[in-house]
Amino acid sequence: MLQSFKTIDKTAIIETMEKGSRFIGHAFPVDNEVDALAHLSEIRQTHAKATHNCWAWQMGMANQMTRQSDDGEPSGTAGMPMLDYLRKEDLKNVLVIVTRYYGGTLLGTGGLVRAYGHAAKEACIAARIVEKHLYQKFSIVVPYHLGGKLEFELRTGGHIIADVSYTENISFSVLTEMPHADNLAKHITNITSSVAEITWQDTPYMERP
């Protein structure tokens, strides 16, 4: 599994003008083709009178799912420069759609490439490009007399305490970056003299706090 990857944080829409043509850039975080096609269908309905709705996506940790469409623009002038931007920035699980309302002036091949690539870039920037890291989540249960010591060790070690619950014992929900997971489990076992009950849970991708 990748230790980290870049993607976008949220959906965003931007608008640019080029020689009278209106370009509306949309960026969506997606992780499967069904969701991507649903967004594409929605944009096509919203902008049914647009001259073109061109798009590109890149999905999968190995960028194994890529598609693009010029939607009637000259071949290679719209979808490909949008996909090239996603590839250059190595953005994963991202769909970009650029809607064009023709303004009456031909832009030429180079102008179209620049306009579509620029709109895709600006939409992704507006959606906030983020880096997500692979974390390991633990449940750590200790008796009350060890709660303060464990919390101190977790906080000073730079780990994330997502939740604490108090019942007959104290239960900590803890996240740490994957490279530190084994060492953290061993450290907690050592400092609690093997009293702590450590359960390895899921492995989410998250931004660093």
Side-chain angles (χ1 to χ4, degrees):
M1 300 178 72
L2 289 180
Q3 295 299 313
S4 66
F5 70 94
K6 289 199 302 180
T7 186
I8 57 174
D9 180 53
K10 59 188 178 182
T11 296
I13 302 173
I14 60 92
E15 185 170 331
T16 64
M17 295 293 295
E18 185 67 31
K19 295 183 178 179
S21 283
R22 179 186 174 202
F23 291 87
I24 305 171
H26 318 260
F28 300 93
V30 291
D31 57 15
N32 62 75
E33 186 172 337
V34 172
D35 287 347
L37 291 175
H39 287 305
L40 182 57
S41 177
E42 180 182 2
I43 295 301
R44 282 171 169 164
Q45 290 177 26
T46 301
H47 296 283
K49 294 183 179 180
T51 316
H52 307 280
N53 285 294
C54 307
W55 54 271
W57 73 53
Q58 180 162 260
M59 290 183 276
M61 292 299 99
N63 300 335
Q64 65 269 31
M65 292 180 285
T66 61
R67 287 183 63 185
Q68 55 85 22
S69 170
D70 295 312
D71 192 36
E73 291 281 29
S75 179
T77 62
M80 188 52 70
M82 295 159 66
L83 182 57
D84 284 344
Y85 169 73
L86 298 180
R87 286 172 169 165
K88 177 183 175 183
E89 296 299 321
D90 197 19
L91 296 179
K92 303 180 188 302
N93 298 346
V94 176
L95 163 68
V96 285
I97 305 170
V98 177
T99 298
R100 181 190 182 191
Y101 286 88
Y102 181 56
T105 301
L106 295 175
L107 299 182
T109 299
L112 289 172
V113 168
R114 287 190 295 273
Y116 279 102
H118 177 71
K121 175 182 178 179
E122 291 302 311
C124 288
I125 291 172
R128 198 170 77 89
I129 296 172
V130 297
E131 186 169 11
K132 293 193 174 184
H133 298 263
L134 183 62
Y135 279 78
Q136 176 64 57
K137 186 176 182 180
F138 293 99
S139 169
I140 305 174
V141 181
V142 294
Y144 273 80
H145 73 276
L146 290 175
K149 180 178 183 179
L150 177 58
E151 183 172 356
F152 175 80
E153 292 288 335
L154 292 171
R155 293 195 185 281
T156 56
H159 310 291
I160 301 170
I161 300 177
D163 188 42
V164 183
S165 60
Y166 301 88
T167 54
E168 66 273 16
N169 293 301
I170 305 180
S171 299
F172 292 85
S173 179
V174 179
L175 290 143
T176 191
E177 289 192 46
M178 184 58 77
H180 308 308
D182 285 333
N183 287 338
L184 175 61
K186 291 175 183 177
H187 182 57
I188 298 305
T189 298
N190 290 335
I191 66 170
T192 64
S193 300
S194 300
V195 171
E197 297 179 11
I198 304 172
T199 303
W200 293 60
Q201 298 182 321
D202 55 340
T203 54
Y205 280 99
M206 301 167 39
E207 286 185 73
R208 284 174 175 156

